[in-house]
Amino acid sequence: HPETSTRSASLAEFNATLKQGDVRAVKVADNQRGIEGPFWVVLLRSVMYENEVDVEYSGEKINARFHVVRVQWFEFAGNVDVGTRDEPNQVRHYRLLSGERLLSTTVLMRLAPVKWLSARESKKKAYCLPQKEERRIEGSLFVHFFFKEAAVP
């Protein structure tokens, strides 16, 4: 099962799956949760590469020799209804922020790339996250939390 094997893969194996143009989920630290919820979404603007020098972004240090990607963040723009009058369907809508930054691949969730609704399904609104994708990402957070907590004596 590709999704399960990706989640349990070593970092090197996971990094090999990263492609420029992929949309990936990032787990949010508990103290940074807000309107975005338990995960953020990024667009990969580069393939993975090894960082050559220590870099600091807004107080966050990325050491030399870490595996990194250049990313562009998505911002949660609210829920939109992509359903019908008889069957409403509220989904999360995002907008792509300008600017790129460097991100360590260790913070990317080890899942398959995020899939947006098609233009037809989202009534031509870009970057709409299907509820199935939202549940897949959040479900993986729960599994990660459960096993991490279960391992603590």
Side-chain angles (χ1 to χ4, degrees):
H1 188 274
E3 190 170 314
T4 305
S5 62
T6 300
R7 194 174 347 198
S8 63
S10 73
L11 184 59
E13 291 170 332
F14 173 70
N15 285 344
T17 70
L18 301 174
K19 297 185 179 25
Q20 184 174 347
D22 280 354
V23 175
R24 296 290 182 147
V26 176
K27 183 183 183 300
V28 175
D30 290 338
N31 66 346
Q32 295 181 337
R33 285 189 184 188
I35 193 167
E36 300 274 345
F39 63 90
W40 292 330
V41 185
V42 295
L43 174 63
L44 301 189
R45 288 298 194 181
S46 73
V47 295
M48 182 279 303
Y49 62 95
E50 194 172 284
N51 194 31
E52 294 179 5
V53 296
D54 291 349
V55 178
E56 198 163 320
Y57 281 106
S58 305
E60 179 186 340
K61 185 176 181 180
I62 300 175
N63 294 323
R65 299 181 49 209
F66 269 39
H67 292 149
V68 295
V69 286
R70 295 207 68 73
V71 300
Q72 201 170 346
W73 290 99
F74 283 95
E75 173 183 55
F76 176 62
N79 290 318
V80 295
D81 189 354
V82 296
T84 64
R85 192 176 75 199
D86 295 332
E87 290 185 45
N89 181 15
Q90 293 285 321
V91 297
R92 293 174 63 90
H93 171 60
Y94 291 83
R95 80 174 126 259
L96 188 60
L97 298 176
S98 62
E100 293 182 9
R101 73 166 280 172
L102 203 59
L103 191 67
S104 169
T105 62
T106 59
V107 301
L108 297 173
M109 293 176 64
R110 295 187 192 181
L111 295 172
V114 172
K115 292 183 177 42
W116 301 119
L117 285 175
S118 69
R120 182 186 57 77
E121 294 170 313
S122 66
K123 299 182 178 178
K124 300 194 187 310
K125 203 166 208 40
Y127 310 127
C128 289
L129 188 67
Q131 289 179 3
K132 182 179 178 181
E133 276 292 277
E134 184 178 359
R135 286 191 302 272
R136 177 179 73 95
I137 296 166
E138 288 181 347
S140 127
L141 289 169
F142 175 75
V143 168
H144 173 75
F145 173 78
F146 176 77
F147 285 112
K148 181 178 165 191
E149 295 301 311
V152 176

